[in-house]
Amino acid sequence: MVEALAARRAVMFVAELCVFRVIIEGDCSRVIAALKGFGRCRTLFGHIIDESKRIGGTLRSCLFQHVRHEGNRLAHCLAKKAVLSADTNVWVEYLPEDVEDVFHSDLP
């Protein structure tokens, strides 16, 4: 359920930023499969999936892609940083210095 909520928040966030082409990556194959599926989602978290797909449908291009846990190191690093912070931080044009090494190690 947490992964579905995170995907919905990601789609809402890019819509708020007026980003019209986006790829949402996640390491939970069940959630990504549900987001890529056709029709209504019949899982316990189906209403969240359906809302995410509806919001994604308002964008020019919204793709959902599964990545292995190892390929998602930067997201996990940023999530840990967010949990430890009392503030809501958004990094749009730069990364915090303490996660730049993780970013560069994820590049092909």
Side-chain angles (χ1 to χ4, degrees):
M1 170 98 61
V2 172
E3 292 88 354
L5 289 168
R8 180 181 65 183
R9 184 62 193 119
V11 175
M12 290 170 61
F13 183 63
V14 297
E16 291 168 3
L17 287 178
C18 297
V19 175
F20 297 107
R21 296 178 192 270
V22 65
I23 299 173
I24 306 291
E25 294 181 338
D27 60 8
C28 181
S29 59
R30 185 173 178 201
V31 168
I32 297 299
L35 287 164
K36 292 171 93 171
F38 296 102
R40 293 188 52 125
C41 182
R42 304 278 182 215
T43 64
L44 201 56
F45 51 88
H47 62 291
I48 299 167
I49 296 295
D50 293 340
E51 184 179 3
S52 300
K53 291 183 345 185
R54 182 187 60 74
I55 296 167
T58 66
L59 307 175
R60 283 192 197 131
S61 175
C62 182
L63 303 174
F64 299 99
Q65 184 173 318
H66 180 260
V67 293
R68 292 188 355 227
H69 183 75
E70 298 81 26
N72 217 4
R73 287 184 30 210
L74 180 60
H76 285 280
C77 188
L78 289 170
K80 284 182 194 175
K81 189 171 185 62
V83 167
L84 297 175
S85 175
D87 298 324
T88 300
N89 296 313
V90 177
W91 303 283
V92 176
E93 294 185 16
Y94 70 94
L95 285 172
E97 289 181 17
D98 57 333
V99 298
E100 281 187 29
D101 290 339
V102 176
F103 170 73
H104 291 294
S105 71
D106 274 355
L107 294 175

